[in-house]
Amino acid sequence: MKKLINDPKAVVQETVQGFGLAHAGLVNVSEDPIYITRKDAPVAGKVGLVSGGGSGHEPLHAGYVGRGMLDAAVPGAVFTSPTPDQILPATLAVNSGAGVVHIVKNYTGDVLNFETAAELAEAEGVSVRTVLVNDDVAVEDSLYTAGRRGVGGTVLVEKIAGAAAERGDDLDAVAAVGERVNANVRTMGVALSACTVPHAGKPSFDLAEDEIEIGIGIHGEPGRHRIAMENADSITNRLLEPVLADLKIASGDKVLLFVNGMGGTPLSELYIVYRRAVQVLADAGATVERSLVGNYITALEMQGCSISVLRLDDELTELWDAPVHTAALRWGV
Amino acid sequence: MKKLINDPKAVVQETVQGFGLAHAGLVNVSEDPIYITRKDAPVAGKVGLVSGGGSGHEPLHAGYVGRGMLDAAVPGAVFTSPTPDQILPATLAVNSGAGVVHIVKNYTGDVLNFETAAELAEAEGVSVRTVLVNDDVAVEDSLYTAGRRGVGGTVLVEKIAGAAAERGDDLDAVAAVGERVNANVRTMGVALSACTVPHAGKPSFDLAEDEIEIGIGIHGEPGRHRIAMENADSITNRLLEPVLADLKIASGDKVLLFVNGMGGTPLSELYIVYRRAVQVLADAGATVERSLVGNYITALEMQGCSISVLRLDDELTELWDAPVHTAALRWGV
């Protein structure tokens, strides 16, 4: 294993230290317990947004802390849920009195620990709503989840719910917008290579030289099936088919198309996938109105990508376009 | 070789097609010959900025086309210089009458082809100045260059010269600012793994399981020496030592610190390197006033990073902070 790390046990701590130094104007970093908050949190009158999950998916979630997106991010160990004793103080730190929304990817550990933290926060008088993200069409149940996993759609839920909170929506309204995004987004991924968790020291799984895994999760957990390597257009077709079917994409639909790199794939390849995805959507009669292409929710150095399609309406489009100022996503400011 | 591509011969064309679709509001794409221009080029009265080079370094250069940065990008084949018959029309397309600056990384093919294109443009009555970027402290001459190679500093030259052009500086002034950035920036890189050029089909070089290459170039060309794998702090020390010595960094200096991923390295590891780099600079008495952390000038899926240090003054800081709106770098707008 060759990684630019010092001690596998210190990876998360040193990452957030570096992150805090690089973005000192944007965020505050708590090191014990570890969580990252927006510099000006709590923002008076605003609903607080907290997300988190295992580390190794950077820039998710710390990269999305800032104006118009998250108020706090809570990173666990690599590919391991954060604990309630991190989530609770992050929740309290961003509560201005308007309540807090937890955005949780549907993995058993995350769900459990955010639930516990929400109960503890409620006991301290903070109203908490939870938006569960479960956009992955690859599998119904998996090694890590009951029900669908939460993957690429999480980034879109965080951006759009964040914009709703920023414009002053109340607690129920922010949660409702987040749930509406989740209901209208589907994702499917592919892995060309495995990734290596630092404290494990060896790849999470093996793929043969000419083999890829369709329906991969963001921890390298198994997907639908392994197939022989195909070209980018064929892979794109395979990923989009179940996404469009599940979303019931119809002629006239307007969508946001999100091609996400898993961490180790060149940006050029993501644009090649994007190009084909636009064609497939056009064939289905849908128009790509907004797009996002890059490494936004990763699995360490895994090679591969995921494709997310979000059906847009005027309000979701307006909230997507709203100004955002975070380390990893920024426009309008 | 597993890559998300269709035909190795079509990689550049399909990448720019996808790029053009994803960023239709920002750029126009010419496919024959291939070059990318800012949507509103030529901008009346503004000096035009053109850069280019081999593909495989994305987001460089197309990702930097837009307001406050480049007017045109000219991608060659992967790791191969673009030709004068691409560079010339790109130059003419962005000339508003105020002249054009070519920003050229110091590689023999790039230098020659940009020189020819500049002569042809001059023959058509367009004034051209060339800013040669040669910030790599690793080697004096290499397989690809006479003199130092142009690497990470290129991104900083493009941003800062772009801001000077945007505020209305004339041709000589824009070129002078670009040269001032180049004179004040130094870079050194490391590779943990090789990358595979699509039409070659196999890795450009071999590194043993516990070996890294210090002083790597952005095409995987040899650096200073190979050493056994070390931890992130030691590697960071090794990269920064010649950078700081060559720049003669002294107590009280203000710098921009740029930790760049080579394409296949997780963002978390870049922040771990950044963390140590800040400590090393502090030990030298320098203050990090601005920073950039991420994949900005890559070598396909290579694992590794480069560290660039730019000595700032008030004007360079102001130009760095000026609004920029490109696919890969955006703030203030």
Side-chain angles (χ1 to χ4, degrees):
Chain A
M1 175 184 68
K2 283 188 283 190
K3 288 179 178 288
L4 292 168
I5 64 174
N6 293 301
D7 175 356
K9 289 192 293 293
V11 161
V12 176
Q13 185 189 23
E14 293 185 355
T15 298
V16 301
Q17 286 173 348
F19 184 84
L21 289 166
H23 307 290
L26 268 181
V27 300
N28 288 320
V29 171
S30 159
E31 283 195 45
D32 187 18
I34 292 180
Y35 59 89
I36 293 100
T37 50
R38 178 174 160 170
K39 198 81 188 173
D40 55 353
V43 180
K46 195 184 88 70
V47 170
L49 251 70
V50 178
S51 192
S55 290
H57 308 300
E58 291 73 20
L60 191 83
H61 296 272
Y64 304 128
V65 172
R67 177 177 157 195
M69 214 159 162
L70 298 179
D71 293 270
V74 192
V78 175
F79 291 180
T80 304
S81 173
T83 53
D85 69 322
Q86 297 173 261
I87 305 167
L88 175 64
T91 302
L92 300 178
V94 304
N95 176 49
S96 71
V100 175
V101 171
H102 284 172
I103 299 175
V104 183
K105 302 194 293 301
N106 189 34
Y107 288 94
T108 307
D110 290 310
V111 171
L112 214 65
N113 288 338
F114 270 94
E115 202 169 85
T116 303
E119 283 164 13
L120 294 169
E122 293 272 0
E124 300 203 27
V126 179
S127 298
V128 178
R129 299 286 178 278
T130 298
V131 175
L132 199 68
V133 185
N134 59 353
D135 57 313
D136 189 344
V137 297
V139 289
E140 262 309 318
D141 296 302
S142 82
L143 216 56
Y144 294 72
T145 49
R148 287 179 164 177
R149 302 172 298 206
V151 288
T154 312
V155 178
L156 312 184
V157 172
E158 293 179 2
K159 168 65 183 84
I160 291 174
E166 200 72 42
R167 75 175 172 188
D169 284 15
D170 69 19
L171 185 61
D172 287 327
V174 172
V177 163
E179 275 157 12
R180 192 145 60 87
V181 175
N182 183 56
N184 284 284
V185 65
R186 298 291 186 280
T187 300
M188 181 118 154
V190 62
L192 276 59
S193 72
C195 56
T196 298
V197 174
H199 62 255
K202 58 181 180 24
S204 322
F205 59 98
D206 285 311
L207 274 176
E209 186 53 45
D210 64 341
E211 200 181 37
I212 62 177
E213 173 105 24
I214 299 284
I216 197 83
I218 52 171
H219 311 89
E221 65 269 36
R224 287 194 167 190
H225 45 251
R226 291 183 174 195
I227 60 169
M229 182 64 194
E230 295 181 345
N231 70 27
D233 284 0
S234 302
I235 293 170
T236 304
N237 295 349
R238 277 185 193 272
L239 298 183
L240 272 178
E241 190 275 326
V243 166
L244 300 195
D246 205 274
L247 266 182
K248 300 184 177 49
I249 285 292
S251 190
D253 278 346
K254 297 173 177 175
V255 303
L256 184 157
L257 173 58
F258 171 26
V259 175
N260 171 62
M262 290 293 189
T265 287
L267 187 54
S268 50
E269 298 180 24
L270 302 182
Y271 281 116
I272 291 174
V273 169
Y274 180 87
R275 166 188 168 278
R276 176 62 191 158
V278 171
Q279 294 166 351
V280 172
L281 282 158
D283 290 346
T287 314
V288 177
E289 297 265 320
R290 295 293 184 275
S291 66
L292 188 65
V293 184
N295 292 328
Y296 291 99
I297 170 170
T298 62
L300 295 167
E301 71 283 2
M302 183 187 284
Q303 292 185 312
C305 72
S306 64
I307 307 180
S308 301
V309 175
L310 167 64
R311 184 189 283 110
L312 289 170
D313 58 33
D314 288 348
E315 189 191 24
L316 295 186
T317 306
E318 184 188 319
L319 291 168
W320 176 257
D321 289 345
V324 59
H325 185 176
T326 69
L329 215 58
R330 182 173 180 182
W331 54 72
V333 61
Chain B
M1 176 185 68
K2 284 187 284 190
K3 287 180 178 289
L4 292 168
I5 64 173
N6 293 301
D7 175 356
K9 289 192 293 294
V11 161
V12 176
Q13 186 190 21
E14 294 186 355
T15 299
V16 300
Q17 286 171 349
F19 183 84
L21 288 167
H23 307 290
L26 267 181
V27 300
N28 289 320
V29 170
S30 160
E31 282 195 44
D32 188 19
I34 291 179
Y35 60 88
I36 293 100
T37 50
R38 179 174 158 168
K39 197 81 189 172
D40 56 352
V43 180
K46 195 184 87 68
V47 170
L49 251 71
V50 178
S51 193
S55 291
H57 307 301
E58 291 74 20
L60 191 82
H61 297 272
Y64 305 127
V65 172
R67 177 176 157 196
M69 214 161 163
L70 298 180
D71 293 87
V74 192
V78 175
F79 292 179
T80 305
S81 173
T83 54
D85 69 322
Q86 298 173 261
I87 305 166
L88 176 63
T91 302
L92 300 178
V94 305
N95 176 48
S96 71
V100 175
V101 171
H102 285 172
I103 298 175
V104 183
K105 300 192 296 301
N106 190 35
Y107 288 94
T108 307
D110 290 311
V111 171
L112 214 65
N113 288 337
F114 270 93
E115 201 170 84
T116 303
E119 283 164 12
L120 294 168
E122 294 272 359
E124 298 203 27
V126 180
S127 298
V128 178
R129 298 286 178 279
T130 298
V131 175
L132 199 67
V133 185
N134 59 353
D135 56 315
D136 190 343
V137 297
V139 290
E140 261 309 317
D141 298 303
S142 81
L143 216 55
Y144 294 71
T145 49
R148 287 178 164 177
R149 303 172 297 206
V151 287
T154 311
V155 178
L156 311 183
V157 172
E158 292 179 1
K159 168 65 184 83
I160 291 175
E166 200 72 42
R167 75 175 174 189
D169 283 16
D170 69 19
L171 185 60
D172 288 328
V174 172
V177 164
E179 276 156 14
R180 193 144 60 88
V181 175
N182 184 56
N184 285 283
V185 65
R186 297 291 187 280
T187 300
M188 181 117 154
V190 61
L192 276 59
S193 73
C195 55
T196 298
V197 174
H199 62 256
K202 57 180 181 26
S204 322
F205 60 98
D206 287 311
L207 274 176
E209 186 53 45
D210 65 341
E211 201 180 37
I212 62 177
E213 174 104 25
I214 298 284
I216 198 81
I218 53 171
H219 310 90
E221 65 270 35
R224 288 195 167 189
H225 44 253
R226 293 182 172 195
I227 60 168
M229 183 63 194
E230 294 182 345
N231 70 27
D233 285 0
S234 301
I235 292 170
T236 304
N237 295 348
R238 277 185 193 272
L239 298 182
L240 271 177
E241 189 276 327
V243 166
L244 300 195
D246 204 274
L247 266 183
K248 300 183 176 51
I249 286 292
S251 189
D253 279 345
K254 297 173 177 176
V255 303
L256 184 157
L257 172 58
F258 172 26
V259 175
N260 171 63
M262 289 293 189
T265 287
L267 187 54
S268 50
E269 297 180 24
L270 302 182
Y271 281 116
I272 290 175
V273 169
Y274 181 87
R275 165 187 168 279
R276 176 62 191 157
V278 171
Q279 295 167 350
V280 173
L281 282 158
D283 289 347
T287 315
V288 177
E289 297 265 320
R290 296 292 184 274
S291 66
L292 188 65
V293 183
N295 292 327
Y296 291 99
I297 171 170
T298 63
L300 295 167
E301 72 282 2
M302 184 187 285
Q303 293 184 311
C305 73
S306 65
I307 307 180
S308 300
V309 175
L310 167 64
R311 183 189 284 110
L312 289 169
D313 57 33
D314 288 348
E315 188 191 24
L316 296 185
T317 306
E318 184 188 320
L319 291 168
W320 176 257
D321 289 344
V324 60
H325 185 176
T326 69
L329 217 57
R330 183 173 179 182
W331 54 73
V333 61

